[in-house]
Amino acid sequence: MTAETFVFFGQVGSGKGTQVKLLMDFLKERDNKECIYAYPGNEYRKLVESGSYVGELIKDSLAGGHLQPDFLTNSIVANILTSNLTAGKHLIADGYPRTVFQSETFEQMMNFFKRDKVKIIYIELSKEESMKRNLLRGRADDTEEGLAKRFNEYVNNVVPAMNYFEDKDGYEIYSINGDQSIEAVHQDIINKLGYSF
C-alpha cells in the first residue's frame, strides 16, 4: 500500500486538529506506516517559546492570529519534509498552505517528493457555527472582533490557496460538512476517501 498525502483545510473551530488526529490513528491501524505531520503552527509556537529573535519578531502577530510571512512558513514546512519525509511515510499537512504563494511552493515540494496524488480535505463550517464554537472555547484571542478578523483572513487568503488546486492533475478536493458531530465528520472523511472501517 503506497504512502499517501493529505492536506487539511478548515477555518478556526472546524475541528481540523481533531480530525487530523483521528485520521492519523486510522491510518496507523490500517497499515502501520509512519505519518509525518506538517503543522507550521506548532513550530511557530516553539519559536516564540524559545525566546529567539525570530520568536520575538512574530510573537504579537501570532497571538493576533495573523498570517506569518510566506518565506518563513515555506521554510518551516520544507524543513519538516526534508528532515522526515520518505517514500514510505504518509504526509498530513495542516494549516498549510494558507496563501496562493504557499500553494505554489507546496506544489513544487510535492513534485520534488514524487507525491502525485494529493487528497485535500476541506471541512466546511458556517460562520455562525464557527463563532459559536470558538467563543465556547474561551481562549484569550477568541473575541468576536478577533474571530471576525480571522474569518475574513481565511476567506481572503486561505480559500484561494485551496482553490489553487482545483482541476489540477493529481489533486482531489473532498468537501466535508463540519457542522456534524466529531465522529460523523470522521466517518464522512473515511467514506469520501474510499476507505472502509
Side-chain angles (χ1 to χ4, degrees):
M1 212 171 272
T2 52
E4 301 197 70
T5 308
F6 306 91
V7 183
F8 273 79
F9 282 95
Q11 63 187 7
V12 196
S14 62
K16 205 161 37 80
T18 303
Q19 293 304 327
V20 165
K21 192 180 174 327
L22 288 171
L23 181 61
M24 284 169 92
D25 293 345
F26 174 83
L27 292 169
K28 188 155 186 55
E29 211 164 284
R30 191 185 69 139
D31 57 25
N32 211 24
K33 278 185 177 28
E34 197 182 329
C35 206
I36 302 305
Y37 182 40
Y39 178 48
N42 269 349
E43 305 309 310
Y44 274 125
R45 276 190 278 281
K46 282 184 207 162
L47 279 169
V48 171
E49 283 160 16
S50 74
S52 68
Y53 178 54
V54 174
E56 280 300 307
L57 291 173
I58 62 171
K59 191 165 74 178
D60 291 341
S61 65
L62 199 68
H66 299 292
L67 290 177
Q68 300 306 313
D70 283 333
F71 84 90
L72 201 50
T73 307
N74 285 333
S75 66
I76 284 173
V77 174
N79 187 38
I80 293 170
L81 301 192
T82 49
S83 312
N84 304 293
L85 193 60
T86 63
K89 294 177 184 175
H90 295 306
L91 168 65
I92 296 184
D94 173 13
Y96 179 86
R98 290 184 67 120
T99 65
V100 171
F101 180 64
Q102 288 176 19
S103 294
E104 291 167 357
T105 307
F106 179 73
E107 189 181 15
Q108 289 170 11
M109 291 182 201
M110 293 304 96
N111 290 341
F112 175 80
F113 285 103
K114 298 181 169 29
R115 298 277 168 150
D116 55 0
K117 281 194 172 56
V118 178
K119 296 171 176 177
I120 294 171
I121 297 162
Y122 174 38
I123 302 176
E124 293 185 86
L125 190 67
S126 65
K127 188 174 181 177
E128 296 69 36
E129 184 62 23
S130 168
M131 285 281 195
K132 199 169 81 184
R133 287 184 188 182
N134 283 294
L135 292 169
L136 281 173
R137 279 198 317 192
R139 283 195 351 201
D141 56 343
D142 285 349
T143 60
E144 279 199 34
E145 188 188 1
L147 288 167
K149 203 160 61 185
R150 274 147 78 182
F151 192 86
N152 290 341
E153 208 155 65
Y154 183 81
V155 170
N156 296 332
N157 292 302
V158 185
V159 172
M162 180 180 71
N163 290 341
Y164 173 82
F165 298 108
E166 253 183 341
D167 307 321
K168 268 195 182 289
D169 272 356
Y171 291 82
E172 185 82 43
I173 299 176
Y174 301 87
S175 290
I176 308 289
N177 172 7
D179 282 328
Q180 314 173 82
S181 69
I182 289 171
E183 190 47 48
V185 171
H186 176 57
Q187 293 263 2
D188 232 0
I189 290 171
I190 298 306
N191 293 342
K192 286 209 174 164
L193 291 174
Y195 304 141
S196 50
F197 276 97

